[in-house]
Amino acid sequence: ATDMDLEMVSSLAAQGASAPEGMLPSYPSITFPNHYSIVTGLYPEHHGIVANSFYDPARKQTYSYHDSQSVGDGSWYGGTPLWVLAEQQGMRSASFFWVGSEADIQGIRPTYYLKFDGRFPNPKRVEQVLAWLRLPPEQRPHMITLYFSDTDTAGHRYGPDSSQVADAVHELDGEIGRLMDGIKQSDLPVDLIVLADHGMAEVKGAPIHLDQYGFNPSGFGAIVGLGLYPKSDDDAQKAYEAMRGKSDKFAVYRRAQVPAYLHFDSNPREGDPVVVPNGPYFVNLAADLTAPGHLPVGEHGYDATRVPEMKAIFFAAGPDIRHGVALQPFENVNVYPLIARILGLDLTNLKTGPVDGKLDVLERILQIN
């Protein structure tokens, strides 16, 4: 999307700050972990949403993004999301879709929120955000989230370089333009941050089915996606040894030995062993788990240092943002302390402990001291 002539996000960059080479998503670079990292300042293994779907060996339960019951159950979610932080400190918040916003987390939901419905028209999403800004001061939210999914859907189906993705990007650029116009008309001091949870890469080569590389499911009590949950440590070790070194297309690690920079080595929800693709390859357990004709053209989830197309957009503009600042790539966990600082929210005594993000990474884009 960065190569396209995007009028609104280009003007955002000129008016404020941007990351021309992209923002680094947390590993794995998929939707639920990264949406929740952005609003908690924590890596996925620290906030607990380690994949879109995963198993929790302690709970003996599976979390799935397709299951409204688990999505709406606040006990799955660690950390203190921005809307919870705001509400705890006497500030109203609103969410037009965001991972976790439907759940009761620490006994709190946003003042205004909606249950996710991907068919909800984008123009109406923008209209609702602007309607919230028009509320009387005593009802108006001061922290609002808004989500669009069109580019992700088109990227999976048609690939990142497709005309369909270009069309989706231009449509969303127009929606952001309408949002910017509405903010301007409101005369309110609004800071607007436009970012993504991850990028998208074109899948290379034939699918990689791990059962062809020594993987045997018999030693596992649960398997969710690429999350392998062994019956015993011996079973984990056997699976690790069976797959280790079998292909240059993926690496396999015992969980405790996953490279430290991925921050994916300490949460039982991650499974053991952990399989990490080395490039934009479609990796699954067995051919019979792939629905015929349903292989994605575009995919994400990869290590952004190996697959740079995983990097996400970041633009910020408003009265508190300095003009024309170009940032080097930075980790998305650093957005949380930035927004908390803009809103004047205190991070010193979080019940859930210190965050992984650091204010000094992005502090220089602020006009405020």
Side-chain angles (χ1 to χ4, degrees), residues 2-66:
T2 48
D3 298 333
M4 298 170 194
D5 179 22
L6 300 181
E7 188 181 347
M8 294 309 156
V9 291
S10 297
S11 71
L12 261 182
Q15 291 171 34
S18 63
E21 294 171 43
M23 175 177 71
L24 295 162
S26 298
Y27 186 81
S29 52
I30 51 181
T31 302
F32 269 53
N34 278 279
H35 269 86
Y36 202 59
S37 284
I38 289 165
V39 294
T40 60
L42 296 169
Y43 296 116
E45 73 172 1
H46 294 154
H47 62 56
I49 306 300
V50 300
N52 289 342
S53 301
F54 56 87
Y55 179 72
D56 185 311
R59 291 173 68 132
K60 296 187 170 51
Q61 290 177 307
T62 297
Y63 174 100
S64 171
Y65 73 120
H66 289 309

Side-chain angles (χ1 to χ4, degrees), residues 181-350:
D181 289 344
I183 289 169
K184 195 172 177 184
Q185 288 163 17
S186 76
D187 279 334
L188 293 170
V190 176
D191 294 303
L192 177 63
I193 297 176
V194 177
L195 42 62
D197 46 354
H198 54 71
M200 185 80 67
E202 188 164 336
V203 175
K204 288 186 180 169
I208 294 165
H209 306 304
L210 296 178
D211 61 347
Q212 296 169 357
Y213 294 89
F215 176 71
N216 181 347
S218 64
F220 292 84
I223 296 171
V224 181
L226 281 181
L228 312 175
Y229 304 91
K231 293 174 184 171
S232 70
D233 192 71
D234 275 354
D235 288 319
Q237 183 66 19
K238 277 182 199 158
Y240 165 70
E241 288 173 1
M243 290 186 286
R244 181 179 55 180
K246 289 285 178 70
S247 171
D248 60 357
K249 300 284 198 301
F250 63 86
V252 59
Y253 305 97
R254 291 301 306 269
R255 183 174 63 236
Q257 270 67 58
V258 172
Y261 76 93
L262 292 177
H263 303 283
F264 206 74
D265 61 8
S266 65
N267 194 318
R269 293 177 177 182
E270 294 158 340
D272 188 13
V274 174
V275 175
V276 179
N278 285 333
Y281 311 115
F282 184 77
V283 181
N284 73 352
L285 300 180
D288 59 4
L289 294 178
T290 305
H294 286 272
L295 281 174
V297 179
E299 192 54 280
H300 51 90
Y302 309 109
D303 169 3
T305 66
R306 283 181 171 271
V307 185
E309 299 97 318
M310 293 302 97
K311 289 190 287 190
I313 59 166
F314 176 89
F315 300 93
D320 297 312
I321 309 293
R322 289 174 56 212
H323 289 225
V325 182
L327 295 157
Q328 288 300 305
F330 61 90
E331 293 182 299
N332 65 3
V333 292
N334 298 299
V335 173
Y336 182 86
L338 173 78
I339 294 176
R341 179 72 188 84
I342 288 170
L343 294 174
L345 299 172
D346 183 6
L347 295 181
T348 52
N349 293 306
L350 291 183

